[in-house]
Amino acid sequence: MKTKKNNPLRKLLLGGMMLSLTAGTVAYATPRDQMRLDFDKAVKGKTVAWVPITLGNPIGDMWTAAMRQNFEKYGVKFLVRDPNFSTSAQLQAVTNLINQKPDVLIVQNANVTLLTKELKRAMDNGIYVVQVNLLSNQPTDAYVGVDYVDVGRQIARDIVKECGGGKSSGKVAFVQGEATATDSIDQLKGLMEVFKQDKSIKLVSTQSAKWDSNLANQITATTLQQHPDLCATYGSWGIMQQGAAQAVKTAGLQGKVKVYASSDGPRSDCDLVEQKLFHKILSFRADIQGEQVSNAVISLLQSGNKPGSKHMTILSNNYWVTGKQERNYCYDLPK
C-alpha cells in the first residue's frame, strides 16, 4: 500500500523508527562515547569567574588567553574582572562574583590575607576555588603555581656559586614584589635558608618595589650608590626586575653586578638575558600555567567533591634561561 508524504500513518511509522534509533543510540553507546557525554554534562554550561591582580601585563594576559581558549572550547562561560592593582577593587570584585554564584572562582591573591574570608565564603556557598601562583592563608580546592620557597633556594644556590666563598664582596640585594605576597615571603625564606650556609654572603638590601619596574629601578640605583661593590641583585618577578637591570646598566656595572629574576617567562625577559642585562632568570612559563589552571577547573567540575572538602596542588616546573639556547622557555603573547 502506497502512502502519501502527509499521510498520518506514514508519520506515525517514521516517528516510531526515530524513537527506536534514538533509544538504540543511548542503549548501545560505547564506553568511549559515555565518557564524553559525562564530560559535557559536568562541564558544559558551567560558569567560571577569574580575578587576577591586574591585566595589561604579560603574565595576566597570558593566563587569561589560555583559560579563555580552553573554556570556550568546552562550552564554559568565562567571566573576567580586572582590579588593576587595587586591593579594594579586587576584594569587591570577588565579593560581587560570589554573590552571583559561579561554579568556579579563580583568584590571584594580592597578599596572603586580603581574600581569606571571601574564599572560605565561596566554598561554603558551593563554589570551587582555585588559587593561581600566589596563595592566601586560606586553603582552597586547588593551587596551581610555583613553589616559591624552592625557587628562592635555586636562585640563592646559583648566587652563592657566583658570589660566595670570598670570590667577591658577597653583597646581594633582594627586590621584593609586594612584601606581604606569597612570592616575596616564600622566596625570601628560601634564599635565607641557603645564604645562612655561607658566611661570606651578605644580604645588604631587601626592599619592596610593589611589582613596579620604575620603583625597582630607583631602589637598585640607591643600593648601588651605597654598595658599588654589589655582586648580585635578585628580583622576585622578571618584569619588575627589568627596572633593576636598567639601573645596573646606567651605573656602568653591567656584567659586574649579576641580575637574577624569578620570571613567568615573557619574551622580554628572555631578550634581556640575551642582551646580558639579566645574568639568569628562572622561568615558570605562564602559558603552561594557564593550561594547568584550565585543567584544574575541569577536574574539579568532574570530581563530584564538595567545595572545600579536598585540596589539590599542581606545581609548576622551573627552567633556567641563560641565553639563546633556552628561548623555548619563554613565551610570546597571542596576537
Side-chain angles (χ1 to χ4, degrees), residues 37 75 81 152 157 166 199 232 279 302-303 332 335:
L37 291 171
R81 301 291 183 267
R157 289 189 195 108
K199 301 292 185 183
H279 179 61
Q302 295 179 85
S303 69
D332 296 301
K335 295 179 181 179

Side-chain angles (χ1 to χ4, degrees), residues 173-236:
F174 179 51
V175 183
Q176 298 171 290
E178 175 59 53
T180 57
T182 306
D183 67 328
S184 295
I185 295 169
D186 287 356
Q187 285 184 78
L188 182 59
K189 179 181 178 182
L191 73 87
M192 289 308 299
E193 285 181 12
V194 175
F195 285 173
K196 286 177 181 178
Q197 298 172 18
D198 189 321
K199 301 292 185 183
S200 67
I201 296 292
K202 308 174 189 71
L203 189 62
V204 297
S205 174
T206 55
Q207 297 184 64
S208 169
K210 302 183 184 297
W211 296 307
D212 186 327
S213 62
N214 292 325
L215 189 51
N217 181 286
Q218 296 169 23
I219 289 170
T220 304
T222 301
T223 302
L224 290 171
Q225 290 173 3
Q226 297 168 344
H227 304 280
D229 58 345
L230 191 74
C231 183
T233 173
Y234 163 18
S236 63

